Structure formats: C-alpha cells, structure tokens
Amino acid sequence: MIKTKRILKYILLLLILFILLISGVYAYKNYYSSSNSQYDPKQKISFVSVGDSLTQGVGDNTNSGGYVNRIKDKFVNDKNAKLNVYNYGIAGQRTDQIDKRIINNTNGLLTHIKHSNAVILTSGGNDLLQALQKNALVNDKDEFNKNMTVNLANYKDNLSSLIKHIRNINKKIPIYIFSIYNPVYVYFPKVHAIENYVSKYNDIIDNESSNQKWIHFVNINSLSYGQYRTERQKNKLLESSDDSFNPLSLDDLYSNEKELNEYLSSKDHFHPNSKGYDFMTNKLFKIMEKYNDWY
C-alpha cells in the first residue's frame, strides 16, 4: 500500500513538472512571438502593388493615388515607417495580362518583386466583367452556366499562374490579394447571377490564399452594398429594384450623373471613389497588421 502511494506521488510530481514545462514553453513562445512582432521604424520597407484599375487608382476623385498611396500614408502616420510603394496597376487588364507583364518584366517589375517586402494584388474584376459581357446574349441558362464554368476554370488557372510567377521571382514574399465586388448590386440586387459569380470568383481567391503560405485574402466584397449594410436597407433595395439586367447595356447606367453607392465613383459607377479607397486601405491595413510577415 505504501509502495503504491509512493508511485502515485511520483506520477503526480512528474505530471506537475510536465505541466510547468509546457507552461514555460508556451510563455516563452508567446513572449518570443510578441517581441518579434514589434515593428522597427528604422527599417526601410517597400511594397509593390500589381494589378488592374483598382491598383492604378481609377475613380479616386481626390487624385490621391487610390489605395497604394493611402497604405503608404497609413504606415508612415500610424507606424512611423520608412516606406516606398511601387504602383504597377493598369486599367482594364485581366489576370492573364497582368501575368504576362510579370513574365516579360515590364518596366522593371521583376526587380521590385524581388526586393520588396510584400506584393499587393488586385485581379479578377475584368475577367468576370468580360465573361458576363461575352455571354450576355446567351438566353439558355444551362449554356450560360456552362460558359461561365469554363471562365471560372480559366480564371483559377490564370491566378495560379500569376502567383507561381511571383513565387519564381521571390519564394517567400507575402502576397495580399484583394477580393472583387459587385459594382452594380445597388441597382440590380435581384440579379443573382452576378452575385453568384462574384462569390465564386472570391472563393477561388480565398482558396488560393488558404492553401499556400504567405498569401492573405483581403475581402472588400462589402463595397458592393455601399451604405446599404443592414438587412432592412437591403430589403428596401430589393423591393425597389428591377430584375432585368443586360451587361451590354451598362452604358445606360453609366450615363447617370448620380451614383447610388456612396463608395463608388459617380463618373463611371464602377470603381471606388475616395471613400471606397479609404475602405480598401483600412481593410488592407488590418490584414497586414494581423499577418505581418511582410516585416
């Protein structure tokens, strides 16, 4: 009986020592992680932004350079950072066209990817818009979905190729990818086909981000809803909206002088305005703070 008590005593002692050891390792890791996440403002950093018109800053009514200049200002003001940003955005480009610029090292793009701390990427909006316009006159639902499924597969392949070529230049550079959004939602919330494919595109971007290291998804899809954020506001939109939509007749919408979505440009009804780019910047900044492997 005494021997059994001793054994139990030793087991209890070992258990306590084990718990203390685990607690110590955990505390050390916590300390090490937090101490290393502290940003050193003396270190010079640079971000390279690659993509379409959202990177170029189209629609910014204050001419402040879209999210690219704003993210620089955010880091300089909030982090006291010494930061350079390089803008390689070209309006109208699909993902395969952005990829070709990287392959061809257009305007020294390769050098900036190789030596920067992070890549910030916008891609997909033009892929989807062109696919919708191409299939606008397809009246058969099954044929429309079949064509769009092919487009989704092409987009997935093109995005994978784009990320692969970035990785060929810089194996560990963090990539922050913006989602796409539905710029005509507030006019056509009943047209579920657009929402459906915006969602599928974003699933591709999200999955690409989730399945690889050092890739982070920046979800800005709520730009679609503008100031209409609550369920009550969305229901009012649904009640007052039309359920007919033809992507080929967008000119009728774009001729309106007023934009219903206060986050989008009143000039083209498609791109973010200054408020929209502020929104994008804040979303990006939060993700870059959370996943700070750029540092």
Side-chain angles (χ1 to χ4, degrees), residues 15-27:
L15 187 59
I16 291 170
L17 288 171
F18 179 75
I19 291 170
L20 288 172
L21 178 63
I22 293 297
S23 300
V25 169
Y26 180 79

Side-chain angles (χ1 to χ4, degrees), residues 8-263:
L8 289 173
K9 198 173 182 180
Y10 285 136
I11 290 172
L12 184 60
L13 182 61
L14 287 171
L15 187 59
I16 291 170
L17 288 171
F18 179 75
I19 291 170
L20 288 172
L21 178 63
I22 293 297
S23 300
V25 169
Y26 180 79
Y28 172 78
K29 281 187 174 181
N30 254 3
Y31 171 78
Y32 184 82
S33 174
S34 62
S35 63
N36 275 274
S37 66
Q38 296 301 312
Y39 172 66
D40 179 5
K42 293 179 182 178
Q43 180 179 341
K44 290 183 180 179
I45 56 175
S46 61
F47 301 150
V48 54
S49 296
V50 187
D52 49 31
S53 53
L54 294 187
T55 291
Q56 187 176 328
V58 174
D60 185 353
N61 49 301
T62 60
N63 295 317
S64 300
Y67 78 82
V68 179
N69 285 354
R70 282 173 170 80
I71 198 65
K72 178 180 179 179
D73 292 341
K74 193 84 172 164
F75 272 91
V76 170
N77 295 331
D78 291 17
K79 298 284 189 182
N80 196 27
K82 292 182 179 179
L83 175 64
N84 288 322
V85 292
Y86 304 99
N87 191 329
Y88 286 91
I90 296 181
Q93 288 206 326
R94 300 182 309 271
T95 305
D96 59 308
Q97 294 171 312
I98 299 167
D99 190 22
K100 283 179 183 176
R101 281 197 283 136
I102 291 174
I103 294 170
N104 296 329
N105 189 24
T106 306
N107 297 325
L109 182 51
L110 185 149
T111 301
H112 284 135
I113 293 175
K114 189 172 184 178
H115 297 291
S116 289
N117 294 72
V119 171
I120 305 168
L121 183 63
T122 62
S123 124
N126 293 309
D127 302 60
L128 178 56
L129 179 61
Q130 290 178 31
L132 288 171
Q133 289 175 331
K134 186 177 179 180
N135 292 286
L137 299 179
V138 177
N139 293 320
D140 183 79
K141 186 177 180 181
D142 290 337
E143 185 182 351
F144 175 83
N145 287 329
K146 182 180 177 182
N147 293 344
M148 291 303 295
T149 299
V150 171
N151 175 263
L152 283 167
N154 289 338
Y155 175 65
K156 185 177 185 298
D157 289 343
N158 290 334
L159 182 62
S160 295
S161 175
L162 173 58
I163 291 170
K164 177 185 173 183
H165 289 128
I166 292 172
R167 283 278 174 259
N168 287 345
I169 299 167
N170 190 327
K171 294 187 183 302
K172 293 185 178 181
I173 191 167
I175 302 171
Y176 298 85
I177 310 180
F178 280 105
S179 74
I180 65 170
Y181 60 92
N182 178 2
V184 297
Y185 176 84
V186 299
Y187 296 94
F188 305 102
K190 290 180 181 177
V191 184
H192 300 301
I194 304 174
E195 277 291 279
N196 182 33
Y197 284 103
V198 166
S199 178
K200 288 184 177 185
Y201 262 66
N202 284 335
D203 285 344
I204 289 172
I205 301 170
D206 193 12
N207 290 335
E208 198 73 39
S209 305
S210 302
N211 294 330
Q212 296 189 48
K213 287 184 177 180
W214 305 302
I215 303 183
H216 310 294
F217 180 57
V218 185
N219 192 349
I220 57 166
N221 187 41
S222 53
L223 270 179
S224 304
Y225 317 120
Q227 68 273 30
Y228 305 98
R229 299 298 174 101
T230 67
E231 287 304 313
R232 185 179 178 184
Q233 289 171 325
K234 289 180 183 178
N235 287 334
K236 279 189 175 181
L237 273 178
L238 285 169
E239 290 170 8
S240 62
S241 68
D242 189 0
D243 59 359
S244 61
F245 173 73
N246 185 338
L248 293 177
S249 63
L250 283 174
D251 288 342
D252 295 336
L253 168 63
Y254 296 162
S255 64
N256 293 338
E257 292 183 5
K258 188 176 181 182
E259 167 60 52
L260 292 183
N261 185 334
E262 65 181 28
Y263 288 82

